[in-house]
Amino acid sequence: MASYANQECFQSNDDLPIVLLHRLPSFNSPLKDILQPHFHLLDPADSPEPASSFLSCHAKSVRALICIYNTPLSAETLNLLPSLELIVAASAGVDHIDLEECRCRGIIMTNASTAFAEDAADHAVALLIDVCRRISTGDRFVRAGLWPVKRDCSLGFKMGRKRVGIVGLGRIGFEVGKRLEAFGCSIAYNSRKKKPSVPFSYHANVLDLAEDSDALILCCSLTEQTHHIINKDVLEALGKEGVIINVGRGALIDEKVLVQFLLRGDIGGAGLDVFENEPDVPRELFELDNVVLSPHRAIFTSESLEALHELVFTNLKAFFSNKPLQSVFQIE
């Protein structure tokens, strides 16, 4: 791995394009080794000097930045990079990046949604199946040796032909819909805008979507507008037999309210891959048979990570060659 310790401020004297690697010191990504032969990587996390002075030192030469996973990228940091034109986010969500500053500056951003869409959709559907059919509950029942003793395990319910509402019909949400159509489910969605080319029913707000759904699957980005988009009113509209699945961000749901609904039996079940204060998960959920939990792993498979690395490399090469970018995130 390259080290920038004790180096003077410089404009690279080789022919490799300069790319800034923005990461927390604890985030070690294989992207660095993959990109090193093709780009001159600047990595403040490898430098002994403060990040702000490192960035100021190299500011004029940095046109492209890779944001590793959910490393915060604030307006303060962006202001140290006046020549920045492109942010390549190695994540599907971009709530850790100051989007308003990017919009004002005209900075282009790409994210990893195309690399992660299929695996995230698989995980969302798996959570829905698990909640409905009590698969994890049955697994615990068998492993605990209860089958010969109690005989009967918790009864699940049919998933096929359910009315499923998808919140956020981006690439991941659309892949979820495609998969659920195969189960005979009726698909509807809520998104910032109606998508004319999509065969699913559109609802202008989440409350109406919940009223017409047996299950809600959250696939949208976390923004000021979507923070706690699932609240008491939405959960009441979903009803006692309703199921909620979240593969977006934890704060899309008012978690305290959801826990109370589940404990009281005011909602049918939940499949949660993300939480408001990760890795802390409300302990009240641990004993509930109608809740399935996973540790923020919906997007991660060996194949999706390989696709991510290829996407990051492709976008950087395209940018420095003045060619079209893939998976551009529309900042609104």
Side-chain angles (χ1 to χ4, degrees), residues 41-310:
L41 297 181
L42 301 176
D43 188 355
D46 267 355
S47 173
E49 65 179 306
S52 58
S53 61
F54 182 96
L55 294 177
S56 296
C57 185
H58 297 287
K60 293 182 180 179
S61 64
V62 175
R63 297 174 57 213
L65 175 152
I66 305 171
C67 190
I68 300 296
Y69 304 134
N70 60 341
T71 303
L73 184 53
S74 65
E76 181 181 6
T77 298
L78 290 170
N79 286 334
L80 296 173
L81 302 168
S83 300
L84 187 65
E85 300 173 35
L86 172 70
I87 295 171
V88 178
S91 59
V94 294
D95 50 288
H96 54 290
I97 298 172
D98 193 311
L99 299 181
E100 179 61 20
E101 181 67 20
C102 293
R103 187 188 65 78
C104 292
R105 293 257 307 267
I107 297 171
I108 301 169
M109 185 185 306
T110 66
N111 70 351
S113 59
T114 55
F116 293 147
E118 292 185 352
D119 292 302
D122 288 348
H123 200 88
V125 173
L127 286 173
L128 181 59
I129 294 172
D130 198 337
V131 173
C132 291
R133 298 306 308 271
R134 304 288 194 260
I135 295 172
S136 292
T137 299
D139 178 79
R140 292 191 296 271
F141 184 81
V142 173
R143 291 175 187 270
L146 297 176
W147 195 5
V149 180
K150 295 181 66 175
R151 296 292 180 183
D152 291 328
C153 186
S154 297
L155 190 65
F157 50 91
K158 188 179 184 67
M159 193 197 83
R161 295 193 289 278
K162 286 283 189 292
R163 299 172 302 160
V164 179
I166 299 172
V167 182
L169 202 74
R171 291 181 176 90
I172 293 172
F174 184 69
E175 290 294 332
V176 170
K178 283 169 54 179
R179 283 154 175 74
L180 290 175
E181 280 188 308
F183 288 87
C185 293
S186 173
I187 312 299
Y189 74 98
N190 165 262
S191 200
R192 286 174 298 201
K193 297 178 181 178
K194 184 176 182 180
K195 301 177 184 292
S197 60
V198 170
F200 310 139
S201 300
Y202 173 71
H203 287 68
N205 62 74
V206 174
L207 187 61
D208 289 344
L209 182 66
E211 288 177 344
D212 290 338
S213 298
D214 302 308
L216 288 181
I217 300 182
L218 311 185
C219 305
C220 61
S221 301
L222 177 62
T223 65
E224 291 183 3
Q225 292 72 35
T226 61
H227 182 267
H228 285 186
I229 193 171
I230 306 302
N231 53 30
K232 178 176 179 289
D233 291 340
V234 172
L235 292 174
E236 286 179 346
L238 188 59
K240 288 183 176 293
E241 295 183 358
V243 171
I244 192 156
I245 306 295
N246 192 1
V247 293
R249 285 288 189 268
L252 295 172
I253 301 176
D254 187 332
E255 195 168 81
K256 291 181 180 179
V257 172
L258 175 63
V259 169
Q260 292 306 309
F261 267 69
L262 287 165
L263 291 174
R264 295 196 305 261
D266 289 338
I267 189 174
L272 307 173
D273 180 60
V274 287
F275 306 88
E276 281 210 70
N277 300 296
E278 296 176 359
D280 296 329
V281 177
R283 298 190 64 85
E284 299 95 322
L285 301 179
F286 290 178
E287 302 302 321
L288 297 179
D289 285 344
N290 61 341
V291 176
V292 180
L293 310 171
S294 66
H296 203 149
R297 282 294 178 268
I299 62 175
F300 292 118
T301 65
S302 58
E303 293 86 354
S304 70
L305 290 176
E306 183 177 345
L308 167 65
H309 299 158
E310 182 178 350

